[in-house]
Amino acid sequence: MKISLGVVMDPIESINIKKDSTFAMLLEAQARGWEVWYMEQGDLFLEGDRPGARMQRVWLEENPQHWHRFQQERTMALSELDVILMRKDPPFDMEYVYTTYLLEKAEEQGTLVVNRPSSLRDCNEKLFTAWFPQCCPPMVVTRDHQRMLTFLEQQKDIILKPLGGMGGASIFRARIGDPNVNVIIETLTGNGRRYAMAQRFIPEISKGDKRILMVDGEAVPFALARIPKPGESRGNLAAGGSGVGVPLSEQDRWIAAQVAPALQTRGILFAGIDVIGDYLTEVNVTSPTCIRELDAQFGLNISARLLDRIEEKLTG
């Protein structure tokens, strides 16, 4: 079966192919003989009820100086593609939401979209953890300054973060007596105009913030523990953390099993759940990373697992 795959992503010339999970997926698709069509968010449009895009056929190679070349450009209906990978990075803003509406129309017209557009809207990567309270540390989501202060008084040591960011951006740690706590809350909530999240600080972050990749509800048996650099409380690789591959613990597997049915029900074929110590802290569904690091450390091909599932969905 000849499969045509479209990908909506950030500018391909800006990626780091050594770490880019989307690049790994596209290389695997190309190796299978699939057609790979590249789009950026601004290339999509809607005419009547027909979503389309200007797209470019792309050829990829494992070359850090020249990893892609465009071969052909065309404008066509999204329904002409068999599958579309939505791999645009956050921020999760209204432009992102509008893009999911266009992709949902393509889904209605027969194209498989990974991940399901309605689930990208519904499953905020921070808030979605509230659907699994048995797995999570104490947390609060609020705009209210005093409620944040009360939570800090109760927990003594907390992490505060925005609901729509990525890569560790604008994540703060605050403890009782911190002279900056009021300005942190004011900044994150926009003086009470935006929701923000606070979670109890988990000391086991020193051993790593584990990214567990989930393919159609099945956990990859190894996680990437992102260990903070000295003086940091964030393990994100984008914030200078180092990635060390580790086998999943029994608790990791239990958390993955708790989350898996909800991912499958919502059509989330590829997700990255974050675990610190014994606790689930995030469920990443927009553009989870760490494929390349885990592949390199353990001789895996995680993209092949994903594309196998996509093929099953297309032919089943």
Side-chain angles (χ1 to χ4, degrees), residues 119-188:
S119 295
L120 292 176
R121 293 195 301 271
D122 291 346
C123 301
N124 176 271
E125 298 184 326
K126 277 71 172 177
L127 271 172
F128 192 40
T129 57
W131 272 248
F132 315 100
Q134 71 276 24
C135 303
C136 300
M139 69 90 164
V140 65
V141 174
T142 183
R143 294 180 175 191
D144 184 76
H145 194 113
Q146 185 55 51
R147 191 174 298 276
M148 281 286 194
L149 290 177
T150 300
F151 185 74
L152 174 57
E153 290 170 6
Q154 294 168 345
Q155 303 300 327
K156 312 303 182 187
D157 193 349
I158 65 174
I159 293 292
L160 302 99
K161 50 187 165 182
L163 296 179
M166 64 168 287
S170 300
I171 292 180
F172 299 90
R173 181 182 179 185
R175 284 164 275 200
I176 290 287
D178 188 331
N180 296 310
V181 67
N182 286 310
V183 72
I184 290 171
I185 295 170
E186 290 164 7
T187 299
L188 285 179

Side-chain angles (χ1 to χ4, degrees), residues 5 51 53 77 93 110 119 151 153 170 182 199 204 224 237 278 312:
L5 176 146
D93 54 15
S119 295
F151 185 74
E153 290 170 6
S170 300
N182 286 310
Q199 293 171 320
E204 288 84 357
L224 193 73
L237 301 181
D278 289 337
E312 290 170 11

Side-chain angles (χ1 to χ4, degrees), residues 46-67:
L46 184 69
E47 290 185 346
D49 71 338
R50 302 289 291 178
R54 181 187 75 91
M55 58 188 76
Q56 298 176 82
R57 179 87 180 268
V58 65
W59 181 262
L60 306 145
E61 54 185 290
E62 194 79 71
N63 180 340
Q65 277 72 50
H66 186 69
W67 57 86

Side-chain angles (χ1 to χ4, degrees), residues 41-293:
Q41 202 170 11
D43 292 322
L44 277 66
F45 61 85
L46 184 69
E47 290 185 346
D49 71 338
R50 302 289 291 178
R54 181 187 75 91
M55 58 188 76
Q56 298 176 82
R57 179 87 180 268
V58 65
W59 181 262
L60 306 145
E61 54 185 290
E62 194 79 71
N63 180 340
Q65 277 72 50
H66 186 69
W67 57 86
H68 76 285
R69 66 177 185 272
F70 296 124
Q71 297 180 310
Q72 177 187 354
E73 180 179 320
R74 65 178 181 175
T75 298
M76 66 178 191
L78 295 183
S79 59
E80 294 184 45
L81 297 168
D82 296 303
V83 58
I84 297 173
L85 300 177
M86 175 49 168
R87 293 285 301 174
K88 171 71 179 68
D89 285 342
F92 191 90
D93 54 15
M94 285 308 300
E95 288 301 305
Y96 195 106
V97 171
Y98 299 147
T99 302
T100 67
Y101 289 133
L102 301 187
L103 293 173
E104 190 168 9
K105 290 300 295 182
E107 183 182 56
E108 288 178 2
Q109 294 166 14
T111 299
L112 175 65
V113 182
V114 179
N115 289 314
R116 184 179 294 162
S118 59
S119 295
L120 292 176
R121 293 195 301 271
D122 291 346
C123 301
N124 176 271
E125 298 184 326
K126 277 71 172 177
L127 271 172
F128 192 40
T129 57
W131 272 248
F132 315 100
Q134 71 276 24
C135 303
C136 300
M139 69 90 164
V140 65
V141 174
T142 183
R143 294 180 175 191
D144 184 76
H145 194 113
Q146 185 55 51
R147 191 174 298 276
M148 281 286 194
L149 290 177
T150 300
F151 185 74
L152 174 57
E153 290 170 6
Q154 294 168 345
Q155 303 300 327
K156 312 303 182 187
D157 193 349
I158 65 174
I159 293 292
L160 302 99
K161 50 187 165 182
L163 296 179
M166 64 168 287
S170 300
I171 292 180
F172 299 90
R173 181 182 179 185
R175 284 164 275 200
I176 290 287
D178 188 331
N180 296 310
V181 67
N182 286 310
V183 72
I184 290 171
I185 295 170
E186 290 164 7
T187 299
L188 285 179
T189 66
N191 290 305
R193 294 189 300 271
R194 293 189 300 267
Y195 285 106
M197 171 181 277
Q199 293 171 320
R200 186 175 69 194
F201 175 73
I202 306 169
E204 288 84 357
I205 183 63
S206 62
K207 298 178 182 178
D209 178 355
K210 287 182 282 189
R211 166 61 55 82
I212 301 171
L213 295 178
M214 305 282 289
V215 179
D216 198 16
E218 182 178 338
V220 173
F222 300 94
L224 193 73
R226 297 161 297 172
I227 300 172
K229 65 182 181 182
E232 261 285 0
S233 57
R234 301 172 298 170
N236 307 76
L237 301 181
S242 57
V244 177
V246 295
L248 299 191
S249 68
E250 287 189 18
Q251 179 71 1
D252 295 336
R253 293 180 184 276
W254 179 80
I255 291 173
Q258 298 297 301
V259 177
L263 297 178
Q264 292 176 304
T265 298
R266 289 168 170 81
I268 300 171
L269 263 64
F270 189 66
I273 64 174
D274 291 346
V275 173
I276 302 174
D278 289 337
Y279 298 104
L280 174 71
T281 60
E282 293 189 14
V283 182
N284 295 272
V285 301
T286 52
S287 55
T289 60
C290 298
I291 284 179
R292 303 224 79 184
E293 294 88 344

Side-chain angles (χ1 to χ4, degrees), residues 7-9 20-27 85 87 287-288 291:
V7 60
V8 181
M9 60 184 290
D20 197 90
S21 292
T22 305
F23 185 73
M25 295 174 188
L26 301 183
L27 277 179
L85 300 177
R87 293 285 301 174
S287 55
I291 284 179

